Amino acid sequence: MVAPENVFMALDYAGVAVFAATGALAAAKIRGDIITFAFFAAVTGVGGGTLRDVLLDVPVFWVRSPGYVAVCLAMAVLVWFTGGPRRWREQALLWLDAVGVSGYAILGASKALAVGVHPLIAAIMGMLTACFGGVIRDVLAREPSAIIKREIYVTAAILGAGSYALLVTLGVMPRYAMVIAFSAAFLLRSGAMVYGWYLPAFPDAQAPPRIRSRLSEDESKPGEQKS
């Protein structure tokens, strides 16, 4: 029987790897050099967890465990050598980010619960863990953040982290709570990407129109060549 702490550690590394890959893919979109790839991967991979640990006043998880940074650098190199057509990179970025948000929200909530915070605060910490690295990535790449585009992004992270914190508080075994919460968050985020779901906007006629993603704009222009 695998110990729960070993499962969470493996998932933590997997979450960092997934987010690091999205950072490297964002660097590919702006045609960065290998140093840009490494920087984007590292900042995206550990950014959310760093904010969580600082707010919880616990040791920052990657400072004494160089394996996390090594994983980020490895993902940067992997994306650098496996970069394909732009269309593939954009799709990979979207779906890897969905996996990362869903999984890292739960891991963030579980770490917060482990230090004894209230389940509501644990849910918030899970959301920050899942979203902050992606926000930094989008800012560095000069891309509109999913938050600004009103995509169901933070909402999916809140659903995953909140569901996990609630289920564990109610006595559900962590492994089962993890599966349920991850499934809920990933399905919600996937539905938003596939079907264009988004929350209603504030009813202000003078406000600018909703920002669409660059990928949606590319798809809406028939006859244009895509690389």
Side-chain angles (χ1 to χ4, degrees), residues 48-57 61 107-108 111 125 129:
T50 300
L51 177 62
R52 175 203 62 222
D53 291 346
V54 169
L55 292 176
L56 291 175
D57 196 23
F61 73 105
L107 287 170
K111 287 193 172 184
M125 291 299 166
T129 305

Side-chain angles (χ1 to χ4, degrees), residues 14-16 18-19 22 44 93-109 125-135 137-138 146 151-162 181-182 184-186 188-190 193:
V16 169
V18 168
F19 269 124
T22 70
T44 309
L93 176 58
L94 285 173
W95 288 102
L96 284 173
D97 194 51
V99 172
V101 165
S102 304
Y104 231 37
I106 297 164
L107 287 170
M125 291 299 166
M127 178 270 292
L128 291 175
T129 305
C131 298
F132 190 67
V135 170
R137 176 198 65 218
D138 293 340
E151 292 182 11
I152 293 181
Y153 186 85
V154 175
T155 308
I158 292 173
L159 177 62
F182 177 88
F186 184 74
L188 180 60
R189 177 61 182 146
S190 299
M193 293 191 301

Side-chain angles (χ1 to χ4, degrees), residues 38-166:
F39 182 75
F40 272 47
V43 170
T44 309
V46 303
T50 300
L51 177 62
R52 175 203 62 222
D53 291 346
V54 169
L55 292 176
L56 291 175
D57 196 23
V58 298
V60 177
F61 73 105
W62 58 270
V63 172
R64 297 184 180 180
S65 301
Y68 290 103
V69 176
V71 166
C72 293
L73 298 180
M75 295 308 297
V77 173
L78 178 64
V79 173
W80 174 271
F81 284 108
T82 59
R86 179 180 178 184
R87 175 68 177 172
W88 177 90
R89 294 197 304 266
E90 289 176 336
Q91 289 293 330
L93 176 58
L94 285 173
W95 288 102
L96 284 173
D97 194 51
V99 172
V101 165
S102 304
Y104 231 37
I106 297 164
L107 287 170
S110 69
K111 287 193 172 184
L113 289 174
V115 300
V117 302
H118 189 277
L120 175 61
I121 305 303
I124 295 172
M125 291 299 166
M127 178 270 292
L128 291 175
T129 305
C131 298
F132 190 67
V135 170
I136 296 175
R137 176 198 65 218
D138 293 340
V139 169
L140 290 174
R142 298 183 180 179
E143 289 282 344
S145 172
I147 301 173
I148 299 176
K149 291 186 289 190
R150 281 181 44 228
E151 292 182 11
I152 293 181
Y153 186 85
V154 175
T155 308
I158 292 173
L159 177 62
S163 298
Y164 178 83
L166 177 61

